[in-house]
């Protein structure tokens, strides 16, 4: 019955065989889709907490497969992008400045430590074959998943590519443009990631 | 969970089957799959005195009422909710859709 042409669907099938994976996926899906349809009704904090539980408690084998499944077509890519229920966990009415996002992350002790982890493990370099200065691509992916469910939740930007980003912009950053671009570039166009 | 009383009604058991969500015929269009668990088996041995009396009274036609039933093998608890993405990539949640424990009730 498995549709072998869609790796993201296949990853879901694997999750459905694990009671824990099914349970925690359902937990976040029901919390994050509550109030869907009406304007801005979902509870971002609860949704983020449920997403963190999923990525913390479900073994990496399952979560990595679901989030980093390799796609060839749009349907697969859309499934991948929608994994974290971006309508509630990622996109908001307005795109804030990335430095504002950074500030809210640094005020949150979980986000602060996860960001430090991400910065350390996903530091890009041209020198190594995997593009990671720590030579540990797996640790970088793990650290990326750690950011999901924090105020700095990253996600795929489209159904057509593996590019990821934050829900923020560096427009009108004034004299802090450079600092802002630096934050954003850790997620966008990061060789290691 | 609670064992069937002293080996009685061993017939009523939890069985599982691997299905496509579309096999459930609930109107969803999706390629996702699930494990569905259901209760099946006989409850003939599950008799309480109440059941015996009912059986006897029905046999003797002292009561003629269709709505009087013997014990049935039914879920006594349900599995956790299940979420899935449909073909339009919208999440749906199924509740009380699959058995977790069975009993003759």
């Amino acid at each position: 019955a498995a549709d072998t042409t869609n790796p993201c669907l296949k990853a879901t099938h694997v999750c459905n065989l694990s009671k824990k994976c099914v349970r925690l996926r359902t937990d976040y899906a029901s919390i994050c889709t509550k109030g869907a349809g009406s304007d801005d009704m979902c509870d971002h904090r609860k949704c983020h907490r449920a997403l963190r539980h999923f990525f913390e408690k479900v073994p990496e084998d399952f979560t990595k497969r679901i989030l980093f499944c390799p796609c060839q077509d749009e349907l697969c890519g859309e499934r991948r992008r929608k994994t974290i229920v971006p309508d509630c966990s990622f996109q908001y009415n307005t795109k804030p400045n990335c430095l504002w996002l950074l500030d809210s992350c640094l005020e949150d002790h979980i986000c602060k430590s996860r960001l430090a982890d991400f910065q350390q493990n996903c530091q890009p370099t041209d020198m190594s074959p995997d593009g990671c200065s720590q030579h540990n691509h797996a640790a970088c992916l793990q650290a990326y998943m750690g950011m999901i469910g924090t105020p700095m939740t990253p996600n795929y930007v489209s159904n057509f590519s593996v590019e990821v980003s934050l829900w923020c912009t560096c427009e009108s950053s004034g004299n802090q443009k450079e600092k802002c671009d630096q934050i954003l570039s850790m997620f966008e166009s990061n060789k290691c990631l | 969970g609670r064992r069937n009383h002293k080996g009685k009604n061993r017939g009523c058991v939890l069985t599982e089957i691997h299905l496509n969500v579309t096999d459930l015929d609930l109107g969803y269009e999706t390629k996702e799959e699930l494990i569905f668990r259901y209760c099946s088996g006989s409850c003939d041995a599950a008799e309480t005195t109440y059941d015996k009396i009912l059986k006897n009274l029905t046999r003797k036609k002292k009561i003629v009422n269709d709505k009087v039933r013997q014990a049935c093998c039914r879920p006594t608890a349900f599995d956790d909710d299940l979420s899935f993405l449909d073909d339009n990539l919208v999440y749906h949640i199924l509740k009380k859709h699959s058995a977790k424990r069975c009993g003759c009730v």
Side-chain angles (χ1 to χ4, degrees), chain A:
Chain A
D3 182 349
T4 48
T5 59
N6 186 336
C8 291
L9 183 62
K10 223 173 155 186
T12 308
H13 291 160
V14 173
C15 174
N16 283 351
L17 298 177
S18 151
K19 272 196 170 178
K20 195 178 204 177
C21 192
V22 172
R23 181 163 52 83
L24 291 170
R25 178 185 182 225
T26 300
D27 279 354
Y28 84 69
S30 41
I31 291 169
C32 299
T33 54
K34 207 167 273 173
S38 44
D39 267 337
D40 205 22
M41 278 292 290
C42 85
D43 188 328
H44 307 297
R45 292 168 63 98
K46 281 189 183 165
C47 171
H48 278 167
R49 196 194 306 141
L51 279 167
R52 288 201 308 273
H53 281 176
F54 177 76
F55 286 101
E56 282 163 13
K57 293 180 181 162
V58 173
E60 223 188 320
D61 284 350
F62 296 103
T63 53
K64 248 185 196 170
R65 267 194 212 218
I66 287 178
L67 197 65
F68 303 112
C69 38
C71 286
Q72 304 288 338
D73 60 66
E74 191 192 345
L75 193 68
C76 176
E78 191 180 359
R79 175 175 280 272
R80 180 171 63 186
R81 187 178 65 78
K82 291 214 168 149
T83 301
I84 65 166
V85 200
D87 285 345
C88 183
S89 69
F90 181 68
Q91 284 157 240
Y92 307 101
N93 295 335
T94 50
K95 259 191 187 186
N97 188 282
C98 297
L99 292 173
W100 180 87
L101 213 59
L102 177 66
D103 283 343
S104 36
C105 180
L106 297 179
E107 281 168 18
D108 174 317
H109 71 279
I110 297 176
C111 190
K112 192 177 174 182
S113 77
R114 300 273 175 96
L115 180 63
D117 203 36
F118 176 77
Q119 283 176 307
Q120 196 195 355
N121 286 299
C122 295
Q123 209 170 82
T125 179
D126 289 326
M127 302 310 195
S128 86
D130 64 358
C132 303
S133 62
Q134 300 285 316
H135 309 292
N136 195 343
H137 185 239
C140 173
L141 295 185
Q142 183 63 41
Y144 174 90
M145 292 195 290
M147 294 305 295
I148 294 171
T150 70
M152 273 184 110
T153 295
N155 196 25
Y156 295 96
V157 291
S158 83
N159 300 334
F160 304 100
S161 75
V162 291
E163 275 176 62
V164 297
S165 186
L166 298 170
W167 187 255
C168 66
T169 171
C170 282
E171 280 170 35
S172 53
S173 297
N175 59 0
Q176 296 205 291
K177 180 86 167 70
E178 202 176 320
K179 191 182 170 196
C180 186
D181 286 338
Q182 204 188 337
I183 298 299
L184 193 52
S185 69
M186 289 188 318
F187 293 88
E188 287 181 0
S189 59
N190 180 329
K191 277 200 185 81
C192 175
L193 196 57

Side-chain angles (χ1 to χ4, degrees), chain A residues 1-3 9 12-13 16-17 19 22-23 25-31 33 75 78-79 82-85, chain B residues 18 20 30-35 37 79-91 93-95 100:
Chain A
D3 182 349
L9 183 62
T12 308
H13 291 160
N16 283 351
L17 298 177
K19 272 196 170 178
V22 172
R23 181 163 52 83
R25 178 185 182 225
T26 300
D27 279 354
Y28 84 69
S30 41
I31 291 169
T33 54
L75 193 68
E78 191 180 359
R79 175 175 280 272
K82 291 214 168 149
T83 301
I84 65 166
V85 200
Chain B
H18 192 167
N20 295 322
T30 176
K31 293 190 179 64
E32 289 205 21
E33 301 172 356
L34 81 160
I35 308 258
R37 297 182 183 84
D79 256 344
D80 294 328
D81 298 349
L82 174 78
S83 67
F84 64 90
L85 272 169
D86 70 16
D87 288 347
N88 295 314
L89 283 316
V90 175
Y91 278 101
I93 316 282
L94 297 180
K95 291 172 189 286
K100 187 179 188 177

Side-chain angles (χ1 to χ4, degrees), chain B residues 1-19:
Chain B
R2 210 160 15 119
R3 292 282 154 158
N4 296 325
H5 305 287
K6 292 172 188 165
K8 270 189 171 185
N9 57 40
R10 208 172 273 138
C12 174
V13 290
L14 189 65
T15 310
E16 66 176 47
I17 175 172
H18 192 167
L19 295 171

Side-chain angles (χ1 to χ4, degrees), chain B residues 7-105:
Chain B
K8 270 189 171 185
N9 57 40
R10 208 172 273 138
C12 174
V13 290
L14 189 65
T15 310
E16 66 176 47
I17 175 172
H18 192 167
L19 295 171
N20 295 322
V21 172
T22 48
D23 294 331
L24 307 179
D25 271 338
L26 296 174
Y28 297 111
E29 286 178 30
T30 176
K31 293 190 179 64
E32 289 205 21
E33 301 172 356
L34 81 160
I35 308 258
F36 175 68
R37 297 182 183 84
Y38 61 97
C39 300
S40 71
S42 134
C43 283
D44 290 348
E47 288 189 324
T48 58
T49 308
Y50 171 83
D51 293 311
K52 276 181 198 153
I53 294 170
L54 269 189
K55 220 186 238 175
N56 295 342
L57 293 181
T58 312
R59 194 182 323 119
K60 287 194 192 157
K61 304 214 158 53
K62 293 249 182 192
I63 45 174
V64 263
N65 188 340
D66 287 349
K67 295 205 168 114
V68 173
R69 293 271 187 269
Q70 302 293 325
C72 299
C73 180
R74 293 276 304 160
T76 53
F78 289 100
D79 256 344
D80 294 328
D81 298 349
L82 174 78
S83 67
F84 64 90
L85 272 169
D86 70 16
D87 288 347
N88 295 314
L89 283 316
V90 175
Y91 278 101
H92 296 279
I93 316 282
L94 297 180
K95 291 172 189 286
K96 292 194 174 179
H97 63 292
S98 172
K100 187 179 188 177
R101 275 195 296 276
C102 302
C104 290
V105 291

